[in-house]
């Protein structure tokens, strides 16, 4: 019996995966802090400032608190499903990071876990499976508020996935590839052939649709129907306590970060930045790669801040408004965008 | 034994076990979850045959959309062990016998059809890749492809018609 396994390849990928997972968890931890600080600034408050300078140790204190709290599993609930709910939420939140190109290649070391040629479809796949965590957790809670929330979350996710997919189809038509890496490489630099290279300038309508749909997919205000604490107590995590609640909340912030990275990769050039050719000639390749990583994370953080600013600006939609927006406005708009893109490719870029 | 073969055996065992689980489990929610697991295993088989597009579409459409609706309905109806109707032993025997007959017929039909099973090479075959598949669909198979799209359209319109209340349709007909 002989197994052909390239050990160095596996070690390289394991290191990369650990760094990405650790990094995402760390970023998500500090996003909870950032969310409170942004809310505080927008509402003219101080925000967390007790633990450490500027309250920077607050996430650690919160984590410790969640770990130390009592775990409660409601009677009459399905224990297995009750535990698997938050686990699935966490798993799907972390899975999308596998196809993100984090920076330019140097010395054959690819800063991407897997460059699969159906990368875009992989994003859809993970998105569509992502709703199971909330649904199962909500059902297993054996609580009518949780169940209502789970059903809302599922209906919302299924409705907005359609518009999201249609807006991405226009992007795929334009770029002619489904690999996220190739898509980022096509947006090299900032300006070429008399037009911007970044996809946001080629697909402005598609970008707006994608952005609105990602708000809905993330269950964030103004689309946080699944949580809506004023009508559903806390929604799907009403019955959860301790670290299982922590997993749900944490998965939400990881999703927020990863989605922001994906938006910056698909529409805002990923690790590309103006004048990168000049920089590539003048600095060592390792520094250039790290600079690319810094650029992509900076873009992502800007999007995260935008998501947070919106959360503290707009009130929640009513449920029928949400469905109307999804089915009657965004889907036709995405179809029109697809037709315009197709016509433009046919007549202008022969 | 190559790595492919080991993965194939493990995956097949998992597929069969979860598929049997779908049928024999009493709890509808467990049944649905096992069916989702089965779909994932089948996607794994597609990946082994280098059909990445089929694999991911199987997950998006079946595991991601259709099964969510299944789960939705079962959760809303709040089915559980107590509400499942108890069938008599006669009916159970009849089910086993007719199921076994169906299996026999399918096996015989398969054997007598004379299809030769050729092993697809995982490295050379790239029929499942999205570029190849798209070109095939829009050149050799364009007619069946378009026909199936009409079928989908009629299914969509049918759903809307069925979903509307009767008086809605009546007023719509009167208005037109």
């Amino acid at each position: 019996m002989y197994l052909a396994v390239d050990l160095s390849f596996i070690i390289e990928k394991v290191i990369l995966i650990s760094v990405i997972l650790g990094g995402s968890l760390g970023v998500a931890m500090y996003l909870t802090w950032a969310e409170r600080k942004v809310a505080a600034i927008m509402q003219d408050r101080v925000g967390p400032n007790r633990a450490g300078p500027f309250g920077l140790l607050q996430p650690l204190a919160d984590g410790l608190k969640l770990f130390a709290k009592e775990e409660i599993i409601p009677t009459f609930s399905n224990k297995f499903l009750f535990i698997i709910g938050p686990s699935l939420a966490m798993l799907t939140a972390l899975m999308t990071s596998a196809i993100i190109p984090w920076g330019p290649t140097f010395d054959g070391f690819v800063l991407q876990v897997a460059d699969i040629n159906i990368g875009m479809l992989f994003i859809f796949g993970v998105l569509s499976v992502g709703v199971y965590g909330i649904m199962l957790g909500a059902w297993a809670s054996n609580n009518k508020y949780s169940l209502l929330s789970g059903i809302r979350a599922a209906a919302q996710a299924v409705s907005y996935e359609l518009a999201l997919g249609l807006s991405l189809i226009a992007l795929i038509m334009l770029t002619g590839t489904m690999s996220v890496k190739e898509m980022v490489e096509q947006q090299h630099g900032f300006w070429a052939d008399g037009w911007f290279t970044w996809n946001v300038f080629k697909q402005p309508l598609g970008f707006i649709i994608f952005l609105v749909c990602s708000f809905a997919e993330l269950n964030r205000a103004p689309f946080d129907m699944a949580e809506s604490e004023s009508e559903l107590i806390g929604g799907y995590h009403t019955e959860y306590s301790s670290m299982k609640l922590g997993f749900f909340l944490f998965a939400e912030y990881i999703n927020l970060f990863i989605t922001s990275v994906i938006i910056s990769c698909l529409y805002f050039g990923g690790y590309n930045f103006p004048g990168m050719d000049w920089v590539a000639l003048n600095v060592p390749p390792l520094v250039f790669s790290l600079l690319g990583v810094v650029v992509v994370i900076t873009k992502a953080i800007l999007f995260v801040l935008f998501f947070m600013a919106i959360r503290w600006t707009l009130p929640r939609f009513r449920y029928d408004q949400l469905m109307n927006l999804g089915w009657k406005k965004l889907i036709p708009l995405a179809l029109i965008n697809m037709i315009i893109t197709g016509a433009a490719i046919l007549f202008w870029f022969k | 034994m190559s790595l492919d073969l080991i993965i194939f055996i493990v995956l097949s065992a998992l597929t069969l076990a979860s598929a049997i689980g779908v049928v024999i489990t009493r709890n509808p929610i467990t049944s649905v979850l096992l069916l989702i697991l089965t779909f994932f295993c089948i996607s794994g088989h597609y990946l082994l045959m280098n059909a990445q597009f089929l694999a991911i579409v199987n997950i998006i459409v079946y595991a991601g959309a259709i099964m969510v609706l299944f789960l939705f309905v079962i959760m809303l109806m709040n089915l559980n062990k107590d509400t499942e109707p108890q069938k008599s032993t006669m009916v159970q025997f009849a089910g086993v016998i007719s199921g076994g007959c169906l299996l026999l017929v399918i096996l015989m039909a398969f054997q007598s059809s004379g299809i030769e099973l050729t092993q697809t090479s995982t490295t050379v075959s790239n029929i499942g890749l999205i570029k190849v598949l798209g070109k095939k669909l829009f050149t050799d198979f364009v007619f069946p492809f378009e026909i199936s799209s009409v079928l989908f359209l009629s299914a969509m319109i049918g759903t809307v018609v069925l979903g509307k209340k009767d008086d809605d349709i009546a007023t719509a007909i009167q208005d037109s």
Side-chain angles (χ1 to χ4, degrees), chain B residues 128-140:
Chain B
L129 297 187
I130 186 159
K131 275 205 170 106
V132 186
L133 195 71
K135 275 186 185 136
K136 275 267 178 230
L137 274 185
F138 280 97
T139 50
D140 297 353

Side-chain angles (χ1 to χ4, degrees), chain B residues 43 45-56 125 127-129:
Chain B
S43 278
H45 280 295
Y46 283 139
L47 278 183
L48 276 183
M49 290 185 277
N50 211 16
Q52 303 164 351
F53 181 70
L54 275 182
I56 199 79
S125 154
I127 186 70
L129 297 187

Side-chain angles (χ1 to χ4, degrees), chain A residues 43-321:
Chain A
Q43 296 167 345
D44 208 8
R45 293 185 282 114
V46 180
N49 67 344
R50 294 289 115 181
F54 305 108
L56 271 174
L57 296 178
Q58 187 69 39
L60 294 176
D62 280 341
L64 195 66
K65 181 194 76 179
L66 282 173
F67 270 118
K69 281 210 166 184
E70 186 191 356
E71 276 203 61
I72 300 166
I73 293 179
T75 40
F76 302 118
S77 87
N78 187 329
K79 196 177 169 194
F80 177 69
L81 292 183
F82 191 75
I83 293 171
I84 211 147
S87 322
L88 268 181
M90 197 65 165
L91 178 76
T92 47
L94 287 168
M95 250 161 77
T96 331
S97 63
I99 51 144
I100 294 172
W102 294 93
T105 311
F106 73 96
D107 284 350
F109 187 83
V110 188
L111 285 172
Q112 184 183 21
V113 176
D115 179 23
I116 46 179
N117 58 14
I118 46 161
M120 305 289 282
L121 289 174
F122 181 81
I123 298 178
F124 285 146
V126 176
L127 264 183
S128 57
V129 176
V131 73
Y132 281 118
I134 291 180
M135 267 184 100
L136 290 179
W139 183 79
S141 297
N142 199 29
N143 171 325
K144 58 188 165 200
Y145 295 117
S146 298
L147 182 63
L148 275 175
S149 149
I151 284 166
R152 277 186 181 185
Q156 179 178 324
V158 170
S159 315
Y160 279 78
E161 249 164 45
L162 285 173
L164 187 103
L166 288 174
S167 70
L168 279 184
I169 285 176
L171 186 65
I172 293 168
M173 281 159 68
L174 192 75
T175 52
T177 176
M178 283 212 180
S179 148
V180 182
K181 191 176 176 62
E182 272 176 44
M183 221 173 251
V184 171
E185 275 163 5
Q186 282 177 10
Q187 306 178 54
H188 184 82
F190 189 64
W191 185 275
D193 305 330
W195 191 244
F196 303 98
T197 53
W198 292 3
N199 282 334
V200 63
F201 300 107
K202 298 173 182 167
Q203 278 285 327
L205 188 59
F207 166 67
I208 291 168
I209 298 168
F210 187 86
L211 192 66
V212 173
C213 291
S214 28
F215 272 102
E217 291 291 329
L218 286 170
N219 276 329
R220 275 187 79 81
F223 297 102
D224 57 345
M225 303 303 303
E227 278 187 51
S228 55
E229 55 277 41
S230 50
E231 39 187 302
L232 292 182
I233 324 293
Y236 55 90
H237 48 58
T238 307
E239 296 287 346
Y240 279 89
S241 61
S242 182
M243 206 51 206
K244 290 206 279 298
L245 170 72
F247 261 39
F248 266 135
L249 301 180
F250 225 56
E252 215 167 280
Y253 282 98
I254 294 172
N255 267 329
L256 177 63
F257 175 61
I258 299 285
T259 309
S260 303
V261 177
I262 286 176
I263 293 178
S264 51
C265 280
L266 296 186
Y267 287 99
F268 278 80
Y271 52 73
N272 297 304
F273 53 93
M276 64 187 294
D277 289 327
W278 182 84
V279 176
L281 287 177
N282 286 293
V283 296
L286 179 64
V287 177
F288 180 64
S289 279
L290 290 178
L291 203 62
V293 177
V294 170
V295 166
V296 71
I297 289 180
T298 312
K299 285 174 183 170
I301 296 290
L302 287 177
F303 272 107
V304 168
L305 291 177
F306 175 72
F307 274 109
M308 286 176 177
I310 293 286
R311 172 167 179 179
W312 300 106
T313 310
L314 294 179
R316 185 179 303 128
F317 275 90
R318 222 171 49 216
Y319 194 68
D320 58 323
Q321 290 173 335

